[in-house]
Amino acid sequence: MSVQERKQRERADRERLIVATARELAEQQGWDAVTTRRLAERIEYSQPVLYSHFRGKREIIGAVALEGAAEMAVALRAATSAADGPRERVTALARAYLDFAERNPAVYDALFQLDGGLAYAREDTPEPLKDAFAALLESLAEVAGDGVHPGLFTEVFWAALHGLATLTRAGRLLPEDAASRVELLVDRLAKV
């Protein structure tokens, strides 16, 4: 391995460490606790080293969001691949989405609440974000209904899931009704 290749590998390793540490700190203490000073202390590098990878917290949030989008896409596809039939796929998709949001609150915030400097719903949207949307679309397109654009239906269904995830997390919805909400969403919106 050349010196250049070794330096590139070390740089990539450092970048992964920064993102993993930011994510861990955000999941434990919230995004307000994630500062470049704290990250530098935790990873045992100087702040200038951190800034050589990311211009600031906004870019770190964006990196966590991209990582989270890839993980979400995998989780959604895994849940739907095991389901048999459109209704079961859509139900599995909804449950997997809400489970992901519950298990990864800081990642979910990085994806959908915080400014990570990422473009959404545009031509220059990063591939992991497009792939997460595609993971939703793959199961929802088949239940969109006659004359309904699959992408538009997916956006509306996703918005409903996001609302449920956000309201549940904020303690605005009774936890014991979570399964009934998913069933109602599938029955009324997806009509399967």
Side-chain angles (χ1 to χ4, degrees):
M1 175 183 300
S2 73
V3 172
Q4 181 66 20
E5 289 172 330
R6 183 182 51 78
K7 285 184 179 185
Q8 287 175 340
R9 189 184 74 223
E10 288 172 354
R11 180 171 177 75
D13 288 345
R14 245 189 339 267
E15 193 165 300
R16 279 190 294 278
L17 177 63
I18 293 165
V19 172
T21 304
R23 182 176 174 167
E24 178 184 315
L25 187 56
E27 291 291 1
Q28 291 171 352
Q29 300 176 32
W31 279 104
D32 287 342
V34 179
T35 64
T36 54
R37 193 179 109 250
R38 272 187 144 165
L39 285 174
E41 288 171 3
R42 281 204 174 192
I43 65 171
E44 298 178 348
Y45 284 102
S46 68
Q47 282 182 291
V49 169
L50 221 122
Y51 284 116
S52 74
H53 290 273
F54 299 99
R55 286 183 282 193
K57 183 175 176 176
R58 181 178 186 220
E59 283 189 5
I60 294 168
I61 290 169
V64 170
L66 292 176
E67 185 177 272
E71 291 171 10
M72 178 183 278
V74 167
L76 296 177
R77 286 188 176 109
T80 58
S81 70
D84 205 17
R87 179 182 181 70
E88 291 76 15
R89 271 191 293 284
V90 174
T91 301
L93 175 86
R95 288 182 179 146
Y97 182 95
L98 295 171
D99 183 54
F100 182 88
E102 182 182 340
R103 284 184 295 107
N104 304 284
V107 171
Y108 194 81
D109 284 349
L111 272 164
F112 303 120
Q113 307 284 58
L114 301 173
D115 178 11
L118 303 173
Y120 285 80
R122 295 193 338 217
E123 200 61 37
D124 60 339
T125 298
E127 282 307 313
L129 299 178
K130 288 180 181 178
D131 191 47
F133 185 78
L136 292 166
L137 181 65
E138 288 161 11
S139 291
L140 295 171
E142 68 181 320
V143 299
D146 294 336
V148 177
H149 187 279
L152 184 60
F153 179 78
T154 299
E155 289 173 347
V156 172
F157 199 91
W158 171 29
L161 288 174
H162 176 69
L164 289 174
T166 304
L167 291 170
T168 298
R169 189 163 146 209
R172 305 294 197 273
L173 301 175
L174 295 172
E176 59 267 19
D177 292 333
S180 296
R181 282 187 206 94
V182 168
E183 290 302 315
L184 184 60
L185 181 62
V186 172
D187 287 343
R188 298 299 170 103
L189 194 55
K191 295 183 182 180
V192 289

